[in-house]
Amino acid sequence: MKIYFKKNIQSEDQIKKMVENSVSYCKYPLFVAVDEEGGYVTRVSRFPAFRSEKFKSNRVLFETGGYDLVKTSEKEKAELLLSLGLNLNLAPVADVSVDVNDYINIRTFGRDAKETSTFISNIVSYNNEFGISSSLKHFPGYGNNVDTHNGIAIDNRSYDNFVNNDYLPFKSGIEAGVPTILVSHNIVNSMDSEYPASLSKKVISELRDKLNFSGVVITDDLAMGAVAKFVDANNAATLAINAGNDMIITSSFETMYNEVLNNVKSGIIKEEVIDRAVKRILAWKYAYKIIK
C-alpha cells in the first residue's frame, strides 16, 4: 500500500504519473490511499485543480440534506479518487464524540453511538457500491483523548464503555462489509496499560475475537509521537506485526522495511504471521478486483 498526503499532490497529471510510477515498481497491483474524509481532513479536494471547493464533512452534508446528499457526495468522492488511481480512502471516522471540546469531534459524525453506527454502516455500503475500499478508524475508539500525532494519549475509560459505546459503530461497519480497520495509538488502560493500541496484541484480539473482524487490520502511522515514546530503536514495526496488524503505516519506510526483513530472517517475526497477513491482503485485493 502507498499513501499520499497533501504535500505529495500538485496537479491531475502529476498525481496520475506519481501513482503509475509507484505501481510500476510492484509485481502485484497496489492499494493507493489518501485520507479524504471531507471537512477538516481533505488531501485531494482541497486543491482547485480537482474541485471548486473541498468536500464538506458528512456531518454537515447530513444536516443539510440527509443521507441522500451524503450518498451523492460519497459517489463523487469515489469517482474522483478512482479517476486518479486512488483506490483506498482511509475513512470514515467511526469514533463516537458528542462533545465539541474533544480533539476528534470535528472529524466525527458528532452523534451518539447508535446514530454513528447507522452512519458508518451507510458510508461503508456506499463505498462498496461505488467500488472503492474504505477503512474505519480509530479502533478501539478515540473518545476524549488528546492528539496522538504529537504525544502520548492515556485512555482511562472502562472496558464496559468500549463494549457498549465505542465498539458499536465498528460492529456495524464490519457487518456492512468494511475491508479494513485502522488502529489508534491510544493506550487503553482497561485493555492494555503497557502498549499503545496499535502495538497491543490484547487490543487487536478484541477486534478479531470480540467483533469477529476477519479483514485487514492497519496501524496508524508508526512514526507518530505517541508510539515513539513507547518503543526501542528499530522495533515498532516488529511489535505491530507480532501484535496482529496485517499492514503498517510508516513515514520511515526504508528503516522499518529493513527491520521487518531482518527480524523475519532471525525468527523474531514468524513467517506464518507474515503469510497470514498476506493472505488477508490478497483476499481484499481480489474482492475489490485489484487482482483477478
Side-chain angles (χ1 to χ4, degrees), residues 30-45:
L30 278 174
F31 276 108
V32 186
V34 290
D35 299 87
E36 189 69 27
E37 297 171 12
Y40 185 73
V41 177
T42 50
R43 307 298 193 211
V44 177
S45 66

Side-chain angles (χ1 to χ4, degrees), residues 135-155:
S135 186
L136 304 184
K137 56 189 186 185
H138 310 77
F139 189 81
Y142 216 98
N144 61 353
N145 290 283
V146 298
D147 183 1
T148 53
H149 288 82
N150 304 314
I152 301 164
I154 308 291
D155 194 324

Side-chain angles (χ1 to χ4, degrees), residues 59-194:
R59 183 200 302 192
V60 169
L61 293 170
F62 178 79
E63 290 169 351
T64 304
Y67 281 117
D68 287 343
L69 186 56
V70 171
K71 184 174 183 178
T72 298
S73 178
E74 286 298 295
K75 184 175 189 292
E76 185 181 344
K77 192 183 296 182
E79 288 173 346
L80 172 60
L81 297 183
L82 290 169
S83 73
L84 299 173
L86 305 168
N87 50 21
L88 168 60
N89 188 9
L90 293 169
V93 172
D95 302 300
V96 177
S97 173
V98 294
D99 187 340
V100 295
N101 295 311
D102 294 344
Y103 157 74
I104 202 66
N105 178 268
I106 195 172
R107 296 168 60 188
T108 71
F109 193 49
R111 287 165 169 77
D112 65 19
K114 184 177 179 180
E115 288 190 85
T116 301
S117 296
T118 300
F119 165 72
I120 291 298
S121 179
N122 285 337
I123 296 296
V124 170
S125 297
Y126 300 155
N127 280 277
N128 285 341
E129 179 182 343
F130 303 140
I132 190 167
S133 289
S134 54
S135 186
L136 304 184
K137 56 189 186 185
H138 310 77
F139 189 81
Y142 216 98
N144 61 353
N145 290 283
V146 298
D147 183 1
T148 53
H149 288 82
N150 304 314
I152 301 164
I154 308 291
D155 194 324
N156 289 314
R157 291 176 296 161
S158 71
Y159 178 71
D160 285 346
N161 187 84
F162 284 95
V163 172
N164 298 318
N165 189 66
D166 295 75
Y167 280 8
L168 300 185
F170 290 97
K171 288 174 69 175
S172 70
I174 291 167
E175 290 167 1
V178 74
T180 76
I181 293 178
L182 185 146
V183 183
S184 78
H185 296 321
N186 296 341
I187 296 174
V188 183
N189 277 334
S190 63
M191 300 180 203
D192 186 344
S193 60
E194 184 177 1

